[in-house]
Amino acid sequence: MTEDPNFSHELLFSGIYRCVEEYYSSGNRANIYIIQGREMDVVVDAGLGIWNIRKYLEQKCLIGVNGKPYLVVATHIHFDHTGGLHYFDDVAVHEAEAEYLRKGDNYACLTFVQSGNVSRTPEGYDLRNFRVKKVQTIARILHHGDAIDLGDVMLRVIHAPGHSEGSIMLFDDNRGYLFSGDVIYAGALFDFIPKANVTKYRQTLENLQKMADEVTYVFPGHFEVFKKAKMQQIAQDYIESSNRMMQRFSVACLRCILSVYFGGKSRNPFRKTCYYSCCCCFMRCICE
């Protein structure tokens, strides 16, 4: 493990590193993966971004060595994965969420940072003003089935909606490595947040079960790496629970509350009244 005050990284497998933001202690702290290829590297997600993640990765020779190009792929739009994207020039995201990044849409990004979870900020930085900054230039718009060629590693893009509209996973078919973002990890799967969809989430996990024989390791957006048996169990538990009416009712209640909270918190125009927004969100969740 190599550490400095703000970041640390570790080698997981040959050519696969995980980096985390040490200054951010929340359970929302995302895993940032570096996949090194012969001709290009890929960075999977960019964390919260209060400190400069690009500078750290370059200084530690994890990316950009001898001018080798790299691409930063956002697995989905949420703030804990996209806050650091503004440090990079070559960013890729699924087509369903590209416009949110261009606009810096902090409602879609679910921007929520508690000061107690951030131990250090740059001098003069006001955490109350934390926003996911606009990504002015998106180098690549991703679609289901796209391939990202690293020379000796090929990553397949899998559109996996449910947690968010444009959630994706990256799959290394040769090694069976699945970089899952927030689609699946060893914790409570969030389907009660704005723009989530229980029906699509269940279908995504059913599809994941079908490809389980191809998977060796899952590299999730949060917490620890795990093997396919654990992936299958997490997916099955969700599929079973999401079919229960009480679960749907709970999701509906939570989502309508959070939709109002994040909508009111966002600086983007919040045109609907709280009552109307709650009613629509509640009915949509129940009927999914």
Side-chain angles (χ1 to χ4, degrees), residues 150-176:
L150 281 62
D152 54 344
V153 176
M154 189 73 72
L155 299 173
R156 175 161 52 95
V157 176
I158 301 173
H159 184 212
H163 178 72
S164 76
E165 298 172 86
S167 285
I168 62 166
M169 301 183 291
L170 298 177
F171 189 51
D172 179 343
D173 291 275
N174 288 333
R175 294 181 288 186

Side-chain angles (χ1 to χ4, degrees), residues 158-218:
I158 301 173
H159 184 212
H163 178 72
S164 76
E165 298 172 86
S167 285
I168 62 166
M169 301 183 291
L170 298 177
F171 189 51
D172 179 343
D173 291 275
N174 288 333
R175 294 181 288 186
Y177 293 173
L178 181 70
F179 298 86
S180 66
D182 280 5
V183 173
I184 190 165
Y185 51 84
L189 303 183
F190 281 21
D191 59 2
F192 50 81
I193 50 182
K195 298 187 180 295
N197 184 292
V198 174
T199 299
K200 290 181 179 179
Y201 211 154
R202 185 169 58 246
Q203 183 62 59
T204 284
L205 294 183
E206 288 173 351
N207 291 339
L208 194 53
Q209 292 282 53
K210 294 175 184 177
M211 64 176 287
D213 287 344
E214 304 172 52
V215 177
T216 56
Y217 286 94
V218 178

Side-chain angles (χ1 to χ4, degrees), residues 10 44 49 62 74 86 94 122 130 149 152 181 196 204 206 222 233 238 240-241 286:
E10 61 180 327
V44 182
L62 295 174
H86 69 277
H94 187 266
F130 174 82
D149 188 357
D152 54 344
T204 284
E206 288 173 351
H222 300 276
Q233 188 59 59
Y238 179 86
E240 292 175 359
S241 67
I286 290 293

